[in-house]
Amino acid sequence: MILLPEPWWLEAALAAVLAVDVGMSIKPPKFIRDCLNGVGFPRQWWWTLIVIKSLAVVGLLVGLAIPGIGLASTVGVIVYFSSAVVAHIRSRFLGMEFWVNCLGFLALAVATLLFGFLF
């Protein structure tokens, strides 16, 4: 197993997509609000998701230069979105937001782990 991503652009792409998500989450559009409300996530805790995703972006970018940090960040993103999948399934909120956003992010993070670090 390698501790620096190769190809590096997979990890950079994951960081970029998460950074866009962070920016959108600051003043969430309707589909993000619907998603968070749909899974029953309390509004007073929405800020924590911004912090978590921001830390993931920083970890992914730092991980392009420092061995192991990107790997740990990628695994953290996988755990985050796996938890989101569980929340969606438990709340039976399986609309477009689940299939595109939640599973899309999870698939990108898993692809980053598999093709950036393991193969």
Side-chain angles (χ1 to χ4, degrees):
M1 176 176 18
I2 57 174
L3 295 178
L4 285 174
E6 186 58 45
W8 63 270
W9 58 265
L10 272 172
E11 190 169 317
L14 180 58
V17 172
L18 272 175
V20 169
D21 187 44
V22 167
M24 291 176 66
S25 296
I26 292 171
K27 189 172 186 324
K30 184 179 181 335
F31 76 94
I32 292 177
R33 290 192 314 266
D34 290 347
C35 184
L36 295 173
N37 289 327
V39 297
F41 196 74
R43 189 175 191 95
Q44 66 267 26
W45 287 96
W46 287 8
W47 65 271
T48 61
L49 304 179
I50 296 169
V51 172
I52 292 166
K53 292 176 193 175
S54 296
L55 290 171
V57 169
V58 171
L60 290 165
L61 293 176
V62 169
L64 293 171
I66 300 176
I69 301 294
L71 175 61
S73 297
T74 302
V75 170
V77 172
I78 291 170
V79 169
Y80 174 89
F81 283 105
S82 295
S83 300
V85 167
V86 170
H88 277 266
I89 292 170
R90 288 184 63 166
S91 65
R92 295 184 177 93
F93 188 74
L94 303 174
M96 181 68 83
E97 298 88 352
F98 171 69
W99 295 101
V100 175
N101 299 345
C102 189
L103 291 180
F105 273 107
L106 181 59
L108 180 57
V110 169
T112 300
L113 177 67
L114 291 178
F115 300 110
F117 292 99
L118 299 181
F119 295 126

